[in-house]
Amino acid sequence: MRSVGASHIGKVRTENQDRIFFHDQPVGNLKNLYIVADGMGGHKAGDYASRYTIERVVASVSRNAGDEPVSIIKEAINKANELLVAESRGDEAKRGMGTTLVIGTIIGNKLFVANIGDSRLYIVGGTEQIRQITRDHSLVDEMVRMGEINADEARVHPDKNIITRAVGAADHVEADFFEVELCEDDRILLCTDGLTNMVRDEEICDTIRQNDNIETAASQLVAMANANGGRDNITVMIIKPF
């Protein structure tokens, strides 16, 4: 049976720009829906951007009569981006706001994923190492792909928080889409960079594999990120798909 464990904490709770949504029952024609967003553009604007984007995505998915998950999610992201851009232009206090977004839905043994920005989705298998499914849209990730710096250097690079795509940042936003075949022992992790900037992938993998209770694993990951400095809001969602 599918289950979800989530831990969500802000470094300063009143200024938390991370938002999550998860529902194991149908949302429109999707059988389930999991979302993590990390807002930007100042504390109030970032909080609004992440919350509003998730609300608009869920509303769009709920109304969509289609049966193709990628098309449903793509339309929802595009509509949310259009509305967030309009909000930004209509309110000086919200000018420049935006948000990362990572979305997952499970249909049978397949996971459909969309992402914008540097919030991530991983698969941790029972015997495999951790696999990052999403690709960061960030300046340092582009530098890594071009061979200018390595992954360890990227984690501490002074420009690591500069992202190259965000919902609300431009009239058009392009999400990356992925399709993953799930195995029985897989665990799905959605998280913001408050976790991945503080905890290495290998440590994330070990923590999830060593805890059959996914709520315990999520709480431990947040505690580890805080113990390592906790310089940002930390949001963790772990899904046991079967």
Side-chain angles (χ1 to χ4, degrees):
M1 178 176 291
R2 185 173 302 117
S3 57
V4 179
S7 192
H8 178 63
I9 186 169
K11 184 181 177 185
V12 181
R13 287 184 179 273
T14 58
E15 297 178 350
N16 192 351
Q17 300 169 67
D18 290 2
R19 287 290 178 268
I20 61 173
F21 174 89
F22 58 90
H23 198 59
D24 279 331
Q25 300 302 314
V27 179
N29 281 349
L30 296 183
K31 295 186 179 300
N32 44 71
L33 189 60
Y34 311 97
I35 309 174
V36 165
D38 182 1
M40 65 203 71
H43 295 308
K44 290 184 179 178
D47 172 78
Y48 183 87
S50 56
R51 175 170 47 83
Y52 183 82
T53 296
I54 287 182
E55 289 173 355
R56 292 304 94 209
V57 166
V58 172
S60 179
V61 169
S62 299
R63 293 192 300 264
N64 196 310
D67 57 6
E68 220 302 307
V70 172
S71 296
I72 292 171
I73 294 170
K74 184 175 184 178
E75 182 177 321
I77 291 172
N78 289 340
K79 186 61 178 178
N81 184 72
E82 175 187 330
L83 292 171
L84 194 65
V85 168
E87 288 275 332
S88 177
R89 289 175 177 164
D91 186 340
E92 184 65 31
K94 297 173 185 172
R95 195 69 51 86
M97 69 178 174
T99 185
T100 69
L101 193 66
V102 58
I103 301 174
T105 187
I106 302 167
I107 300 176
N109 68 336
K110 288 188 177 179
L111 170 67
F112 296 87
V113 182
N115 88 287
I116 299 164
D118 61 356
S119 294
R120 295 178 179 178
L121 185 145
Y122 291 90
I123 300 291
V124 177
T127 57
E128 294 182 19
Q129 293 300 310
I130 190 169
R131 288 183 290 152
Q132 182 180 337
I133 304 302
T134 54
R135 190 181 82 171
D136 292 356
H137 303 132
S138 66
L139 179 62
V140 295
D141 196 62
E142 290 181 4
M143 294 168 70
V144 170
R145 289 196 293 270
M146 294 174 66
E148 297 177 5
I149 59 174
N150 61 37
D152 285 336
E153 291 170 328
R155 291 183 71 250
V156 296
H157 196 281
D159 295 330
K160 66 185 177 185
N161 292 324
I162 299 176
I163 66 171
T164 55
R165 294 189 211 174
V167 178
D171 289 340
H172 175 74
V173 66
E174 183 178 352
D176 286 345
F177 289 88
F178 308 88
E179 183 177 329
V180 183
E181 189 166 332
L182 297 169
C183 298
E184 184 176 352
D185 292 329
D186 283 344
R187 302 291 181 266
I188 303 164
L189 167 67
L190 289 80
C191 62
T192 59
D193 65 347
L195 175 69
T196 53
N197 284 342
M198 296 289 105
V199 184
R200 294 180 183 278
D201 286 3
E202 296 80 6
E203 296 173 298
I204 294 172
C205 180
D206 289 344
T207 300
I208 293 175
R209 289 174 64 185
Q210 291 168 8
N211 285 280
D212 190 57
N213 186 310
I214 54 177
E215 292 184 1
T216 299
S219 296
Q220 286 188 5
L221 288 173
V222 170
M224 290 165 67
N226 279 321
N228 290 343
R231 292 190 294 269
D232 199 356
N233 301 315
I234 307 155
T235 293
V236 173
M237 184 191 306
I238 302 173
I239 304 161
K240 185 188 250 186
F242 303 114

